[in-house]
């Protein structure tokens, strides 16, 4: 039986694994924002920046909602396993093999969102401590989704304002994950009701 340390490490790795895709998506949007920041027409630059920010959080929302749905499937599989029933849903083998660390918990979306924000937070700390222009450039390249919207408003803005997009990322991730779990819960309930209805119909025919 897996010990507490092993379970803890498995959970940490699962959070990191789940954060990889949103980090990559945010990286792509951030680099696009960095390119847009070079546009000299202020109105056009702000319009494009607003659109990119909205798309960034929309992509995060859709991705995290999907993760919530998948995690709730894992929770259902876990409930079945604990009840001594077959896991089912194709979660016995392959990359989707059931493990308790993959199960739905309402707080997990917020944790994944926080993991996504580790990179910008590190750059904020480095920027404040060193004031390095190179660090600021690296920040813009690797986590521009948090920095560039702030600089688009004012190039003299305090870098701490880039914590606002980070906070939005965490909230969006958490809410989307919960909504995804809720959608899957409703779907699983509908499947159970359908299965019960079929079983009753078959029983009535036999009787």
């Amino acid at each position: 039986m897996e010990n507490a340390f092993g379970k803890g490490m498995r959970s940490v790795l699962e959070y990191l694994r789940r954060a990889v895709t949103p980090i990559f998506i945010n990286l792509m949007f951030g680099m696009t924002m960095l390119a847009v920041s070079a546009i000299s027409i202020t109105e056009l630059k702000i319009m494009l920046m607003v659109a990119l920010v909205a798309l960034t959080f929309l992509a995060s929302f859709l991705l995290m909602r999907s993760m919530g749905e998948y995690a709730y499937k894992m929770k259902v599989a876990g409930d079945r396993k604990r009840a001594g029933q077959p896991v089912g849903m194709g979660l016995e083998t392959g990359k989707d093999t059931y493990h308790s660390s993959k199960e739905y918990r309402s707080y997990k979306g917020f944790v994944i969102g926080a993991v996504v924000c580790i990179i910008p937070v590190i750059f904020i700390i480095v920027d404040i401590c060193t004031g390095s222009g190179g660090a600021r450039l690296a920040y813009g390249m690797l986590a521009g989704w948090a920095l560039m919207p702030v600089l688009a408003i004012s190039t003299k803005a305090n870098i701490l304002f880039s914590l606002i997009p980070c906070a939005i990322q965490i909230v969006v991730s958490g809410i989307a994950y919960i909504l995804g779990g809720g959608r899957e819960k409703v779907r699983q309930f509908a499947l159970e009701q359908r299965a019960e209805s079929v079983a009753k119909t078959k029983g009535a025919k036999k009787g």
Side-chain angles (χ1 to χ4, degrees), residues 35 42 82 84 153 171:
T42 304
R82 285 183 284 273
I153 297 172
V171 172

Side-chain angles (χ1 to χ4, degrees), residues 10-125:
R10 188 84 178 236
S11 296
V12 170
L13 290 174
E14 183 65 19
Y15 285 129
L16 293 174
R17 188 169 73 88
R18 289 295 166 192
V20 167
T21 303
I23 286 174
F24 179 76
I25 291 174
N26 285 11
L27 171 65
M28 294 297 100
F29 277 110
M31 293 182 73
T32 306
M33 290 179 194
L34 182 62
V36 166
S37 68
I39 296 176
S40 57
I41 304 173
T42 304
E43 292 80 5
L44 177 60
K45 178 170 66 176
I46 292 176
M47 286 176 60
L48 289 174
M49 197 69 71
V50 169
L52 286 168
V53 169
L55 287 172
T56 300
F57 293 127
L58 175 61
S60 292
F61 179 89
L62 295 175
L63 178 63
M64 292 302 301
R65 188 177 66 180
S66 177
M67 287 187 191
E69 292 174 357
Y70 174 81
Y72 198 87
K73 286 181 182 178
M74 284 291 175
K75 181 181 182 301
V76 172
D79 291 340
R80 290 178 180 176
K81 186 174 182 178
R82 285 183 284 273
Q85 300 172 354
V87 171
M89 298 185 292
L91 302 178
E92 296 90 347
T93 58
K95 67 177 182 178
D96 289 333
T97 304
Y98 165 79
H99 193 276
S100 59
S101 64
K102 300 177 182 179
E103 284 192 29
Y104 173 87
R105 296 290 184 273
S106 58
Y107 60 83
K108 284 189 174 182
F110 296 101
V111 176
I112 294 170
V115 173
V116 173
C117 295
I118 288 176
I119 294 175
V121 168
I122 289 174
F123 277 115
I124 289 171
I125 294 171

